[in-house]
Amino acid sequence: MADIIPFDDRDGLIWHNGAFIPWRDAKLHVLSHGLHYASCVFEGERAYDGKIFKSAAHTDRLFKSAEILDMALPYSKEELGKVKQELLDKQDLKNAYVRAFAWRGSEMMAVSAQQTKIHLAVAAWDWPSYFSLEQKKKGIKLDIAEWKRPSPESAPYQAKAAGLYMICTLSKHKAERQGYADALMPDYRGYISEATGANIFFVKDGALHTPKPDCFLNGITRQTVIELAEAKGIPVIERHMTFEELPDFEQCFLTGSAAEITPVSEIKGQKYQVGPLVLDLCEAYDQLVRS
Ligand code: PMP
């Protein structure tokens, strides 16, 4: 625990409901609907050389997530776009993680939350890598989660919403306790879905295979990697994938704004090569985000 710098005790600024305030003053009351009932949506974005990669796409997704959760955000997309950049500029942050988020306030403390105020905030901090560089070069090891991604009738899967992460944290904790870096989650049908905070791709015979995002987040990085691969003439097959197929693949990697492209070297005993196609895509992604 010694090397942990708590997130409530840092220098810097956080933007909250229209004002840039000192980091340590950005507090909410313990009786907040967002905390008790998970009425909270958020974004995870990355800035490279002072500029957020696909900032507008992340802003669009935050607004969409809020709409899905019946929350009307009190600022415009244009305002949020400007705030994110200003927050980086004011703090001279170049390579950073950006977290924009919205939640329901304290006016009501029950399932019904019609009268709650919708809060909007943005924080940004230096965050070079989600998985360590060492982990990335060697490839990470994944557990297979026991929790299944719910069906589209059971959860608003297209929202990046706090409540959906309960089974992710549980799966990731169990994986980490067993020496894995993350966990691959089945969906409600038993198909492969994604990791706890990143999408997954496999390589076979020069083609990419990736699960169809019909019950989990279709990540912005996932969509970017599909475009990059197609531009390079690499076929991309989106389909339902089973765990029985895991031995058929040669390479594997995760994608996410935080994870970027992270090679996978093992899924619960099944080994993968950190191979040329994955490394080539890593390089192309690195170039694109800085272009
Ligand atoms: N799935 C989940 C559950 C995530 O939390 C994330 C990270 N936002 C992703 C996928 C990847 O999404 P993106 O590429 O848009 O960051």
Side-chain angles (χ1 to χ4, degrees):
M1 292 289 279
D3 57 344
I4 286 180
I5 309 164
F7 273 90
D8 59 355
D9 190 15
R10 297 183 174 205
D11 296 328
L13 296 171
I14 287 178
W15 183 90
H16 181 194
N17 291 347
F20 292 94
I21 58 176
W23 188 288
R24 290 178 184 83
D25 296 347
K27 292 181 176 163
L28 74 163
H29 197 270
V30 290
L31 294 175
S32 290
H33 197 274
L35 177 64
H36 291 252
Y37 297 94
S39 51
C40 171
V41 293
F42 66 101
E43 270 308 312
E45 320 178 25
R46 241 182 212 279
Y48 298 88
D49 302 330
K51 195 170 161 283
I52 298 169
F53 180 61
K54 302 223 163 166
S55 177
H58 284 284
T59 295
D60 284 349
R61 187 167 68 187
L62 187 74
F63 275 73
K64 185 175 158 200
S65 299
E67 190 189 331
I68 292 173
L69 263 69
D70 196 24
M71 291 160 58
L73 297 186
Y75 294 88
S76 69
K77 289 184 180 180
E78 291 68 31
E79 283 167 320
L80 179 57
K82 270 196 207 145
V83 161
K84 289 193 289 187
Q85 190 59 50
E86 246 185 288
L87 190 66
L88 290 174
D89 296 344
K90 277 179 184 291
Q91 300 178 98
D92 201 25
L93 287 166
K94 299 289 181 226
N95 295 301
Y97 182 79
V98 179
R99 173 61 61 98
F101 50 111
W103 69 96
R104 290 188 183 275
S106 306
E107 292 74 14
M108 294 176 78
M109 275 300 289
V111 172
S112 175
Q114 311 267 7
Q115 308 301 325
T116 47
K117 174 174 173 165
I118 307 297
H119 293 256
L120 181 62
V122 188
W125 58 91
D126 259 322
W127 201 27
S129 193
Y130 185 57
F131 296 108
S132 73
L133 274 181
E134 196 55 34
Q135 272 182 315
K136 270 184 142 178
K137 265 191 259 162
K138 280 202 293 199
I140 60 163
K141 293 181 182 176
L142 303 183
D143 187 16
I144 296 174
E146 284 168 9
W147 292 100
K148 296 180 173 184
R149 291 260 166 210
S151 77
E153 296 83 21
S154 307
Y157 75 93
Q158 284 164 321
K160 193 165 162 61
L164 302 178
Y165 285 83
M166 179 169 61
I167 57 175
C168 302
T169 297
L170 288 171
S171 302
K172 185 139 173 159
H173 281 186
K174 180 160 183 282
E176 286 176 342
R177 273 187 213 111
Q178 294 174 14
Y180 296 102
D182 203 344
L184 178 57
M185 302 183 74
D187 75 10
Y188 64 103
R189 298 159 293 200
Y191 292 136
I192 293 171
S193 66
E194 58 170 349
T196 62
N199 294 119
I200 194 158
F201 285 82
F202 295 89
V203 178
K204 182 163 80 173
D205 300 330
L208 292 182
H209 296 246
T210 190
K212 206 165 137 182
D214 59 4
C215 64
F216 59 87
L217 202 68
N218 181 6
I220 292 168
T221 320
R222 179 186 181 279
Q223 296 171 50
T224 305
V225 165
I226 290 174
E227 281 167 22
L228 273 178
E230 286 175 345
K232 284 173 174 286
I234 300 167
V236 182
I237 303 148
E238 294 184 70
R239 62 183 176 86
H240 290 145
M241 301 181 68
T242 66
F243 283 83
E244 288 70 48
E245 293 181 63
L246 288 180
D248 300 347
F249 299 106
E250 300 141 16
Q251 301 170 51
C252 175
F253 60 92
L254 300 184
T255 64
S257 301
E260 301 171 299
I261 295 180
T262 296
V264 172
S265 61
E266 182 190 323
I267 302 176
K268 205 155 189 169
Q270 180 62 52
K271 305 271 198 248
Y272 298 101
Q273 186 202 357
V274 178
L277 200 149
V278 178
L279 295 172
D280 183 37
L281 283 172
C282 280
E283 201 181 309
Y285 186 76
D286 251 31
Q287 274 175 19
L288 181 70
V289 294
R290 291 188 171 80
S291 63

